């Protein structure tokens, strides 16, 4: 094994979707967000596994992702595009039966003129100020868009990971003011919104990070594991430094293992000494800086040097690794590089 192995448990992914589907409640459709190549795990494999569980609608960020996903899943499932109908996307949207979530009056005009009768959805801005038609604009165009039959009218919560944040109730109120009484299906909740409770669920939920084992879905089964092969070990005497910048110096005789993996593989440099690698049940601290391709690990306390060490697994999940790096689980997952040998289970 010359490269790290990325283990992806599709059975755990499917179990997470089933659990979030159950939390969404009866009569609510549960879709799945598979943007950024299925959060770094392979959108095609992820979507096919979820389709077998019953997912019938997938969300991607841009039309190009939709094109790749359509090739993977075939003509059946609906593929919605968060970025909407961008200039230059018309042929792709038409030929691959993508559903753009229209975010502005300009996009609405482009879509209705270029592809009359083609399915679309609408994204509203309920206060996040990122994507979506703002309330005043919506008042001006709703009587044009609603008769055309949008597949979905949605918005996105900014603070759903914090259940007590007042922004959640404010956005729910805004979304209701813009959409109560319409005939089109509605959606407000991603993973965090599902956990906020039924009043946020409406007609469709669209979990993302929770499917892949990330917070705030604390009940999620772990989906991802990473094992890094040990390339070399060396004995380091007291006073000898390890790695770039001499940021770690041995205080006692130490055995240091150098493993194959680094920030080019999504193992972010900032995790440094706060991260651990694991030999079974035994943690091994990172020493020195994480470099592009290599990580140095103190294995002095092990009876024998293993062939590989785990950096993602049951003892250090994606959110724990993210915390060590001062970031979030989303960034860890979506940064996983192309050099891993990917092993799918299920």
């Amino acid at each position: 094994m010359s490269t790290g192995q990325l283990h992806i448990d599709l059975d755990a992914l499917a179990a997470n979707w089933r659990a979030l589907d159950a939390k969404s409640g009866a009569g609510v459709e549960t879709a799945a967000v598979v943007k950024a190549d299925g959060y770094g795990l392979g959108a095609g494999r992820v979507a096919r596994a979820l389709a077998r569980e019953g997912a019938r609608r997938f969300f991607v960020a841009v039309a190009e992702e939709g094109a790749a996903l359509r090739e993977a899943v075939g003509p059946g499932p609906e593929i919605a595009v968060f970025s909407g109908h961008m200039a230059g996307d018309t042929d792709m949207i038409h030929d691959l039966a993508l559903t753009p979530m229209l975010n502005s009056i300009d996009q609405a005009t482009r879509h209705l003129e270029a592809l009359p009768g083609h399915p679309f959805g609408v994204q509203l801005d309920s206060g996040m100020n990122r994507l979506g038609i703002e309330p005043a604009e919506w008042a001006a165009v709703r009587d044009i868009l609603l008769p055309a039959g949008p597949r979905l009218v949605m918005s996105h919560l900014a603070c759903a990971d914090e259940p007590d944040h007042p922004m959640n109730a404010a956005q729910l109120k805004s979304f209701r003011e813009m959409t109560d009484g319409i005939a089109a299906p509605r959606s407000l909740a991603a993973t965090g919104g599902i956990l906020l409770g039924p009043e946020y669920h409406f007609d469709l939920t669209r979990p993302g990070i929770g499917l892949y084992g990330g917070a705030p879905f604390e009940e999620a089964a772990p989906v991802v594991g990473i094992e890094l092969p040990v390339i070399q070990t060396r004995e380091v005497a007291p006073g000898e430094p390890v790695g770039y910048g001499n940021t770690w110096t041995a205080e006692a005789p130490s055995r240091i293992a150098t493993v194959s993996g680094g920030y080019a593989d999504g193992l972010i440099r900032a995790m440094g000494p706060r991260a651990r690698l694991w030999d079974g049940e035994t943690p091994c601290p990172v020493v020195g800086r994480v470099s592009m391709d290599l990580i140095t690990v103190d294995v002095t306390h092990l009876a024998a040097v293993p062939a590989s060490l785990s950096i993602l697994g049951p003892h250090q999940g994606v959110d724990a690794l993210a915390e060590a790096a001062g970031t979030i689980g989303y960034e860890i997952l979506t940064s996983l590089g192309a050099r891993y040998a990917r092993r799918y289970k299920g």
Side-chain angles (χ1 to χ4, degrees):
M1 181 173 67
S2 59
T3 60
Q5 290 198 355
L6 177 61
H7 298 272
I8 300 164
D9 188 342
L10 295 176
D11 289 336
L13 175 94
N16 291 338
W17 185 87
R18 290 194 302 270
L20 290 165
D21 180 47
K23 289 181 181 296
S24 297
V28 178
E29 179 185 353
T30 304
V33 178
V34 296
K35 62 183 180 178
D37 193 28
Y39 285 53
L41 304 185
R45 297 293 291 266
V46 164
R48 288 196 294 270
L50 296 178
R52 287 193 291 270
E53 294 301 317
R56 291 293 175 263
R57 189 171 345 201
F58 298 98
F59 288 83
V60 296
V62 294
E64 288 79 5
E65 289 183 343
L69 186 62
R70 179 62 74 204
E71 183 176 355
V73 301
E78 181 170 345
I79 300 174
V81 181
F82 282 133
S83 64
H85 192 147
M86 301 286 287
D89 286 351
T90 300
D91 288 344
M92 210 179 320
I93 288 170
H94 174 267
D95 295 346
L96 299 172
L98 306 180
T99 303
M101 305 304 298
L102 306 179
N103 291 292
S104 66
I105 293 176
D106 287 345
Q107 286 196 355
T109 302
R110 178 181 299 122
H111 186 78
L112 295 178
E113 290 182 352
L115 296 175
H118 186 94
F120 69 93
V122 176
Q123 185 159 198
L124 302 177
D125 179 13
S126 58
M128 192 174 185
N129 287 310
R130 191 179 63 165
L131 274 182
I133 298 174
E134 295 185 2
E137 295 176 321
W138 176 237
V141 299
R142 59 177 286 160
D143 289 340
I144 298 172
L145 290 177
L146 290 176
R151 294 278 300 150
L152 189 71
V153 176
M154 63 163 284
S155 189
H156 194 63
L157 294 166
C159 302
D161 290 1
E162 304 174 58
D164 297 328
H165 200 292
M167 186 67 168
N168 296 320
Q171 286 192 262
L172 177 61
K173 180 175 182 290
S174 175
F175 186 63
R176 283 198 172 281
E177 289 173 348
M178 287 190 283
T179 63
D180 274 353
I182 70 173
R186 295 183 288 175
S187 176
L188 183 60
T191 299
I194 293 172
L195 302 178
L196 290 178
E199 62 183 332
Y200 288 86
H201 294 172
F202 294 93
D203 302 294
L204 177 141
T205 62
R206 40 179 214 283
I209 189 66
L211 301 176
Y212 307 97
F217 185 31
E218 295 179 357
E219 302 168 30
V223 174
V224 185
I226 294 177
E227 292 182 16
L228 302 177
V230 175
I231 300 174
Q232 185 178 8
T233 59
R234 68 184 64 248
E235 304 296 326
V236 176
E240 285 192 296
V242 172
Y244 283 121
N246 292 4
T247 59
W248 184 87
T249 301
E251 297 180 356
S254 303
R255 181 182 298 115
I256 304 301
T258 301
V259 301
S260 178
Y263 56 76
D265 305 292
L267 304 174
I268 296 171
R269 183 176 181 267
M271 67 180 59
R274 291 179 295 277
R276 299 287 183 268
L277 278 76
W278 293 77
D279 176 30
E281 301 291 319
T282 305
C284 303
V286 173
V287 296
R289 288 180 179 167
V290 174
S291 56
M292 183 182 294
D293 313 299
L294 303 169
I295 299 173
T296 41
V297 186
D298 187 349
V299 295
T300 310
H301 55 301
L302 299 182
V305 177
S308 63
L309 292 166
S310 169
I311 195 168
L312 266 183
H315 301 295
Q316 181 171 257
V318 62
D319 293 297
L321 191 61
E323 184 177 357
T327 184
I328 57 176
Y330 297 78
E331 184 175 11
I332 296 293
L333 285 173
T334 58
S335 297
L336 298 177
R339 298 194 293 192
Y340 295 105
R342 291 170 182 250
R343 302 287 185 262
Y344 289 89
K345 172 187 172 184

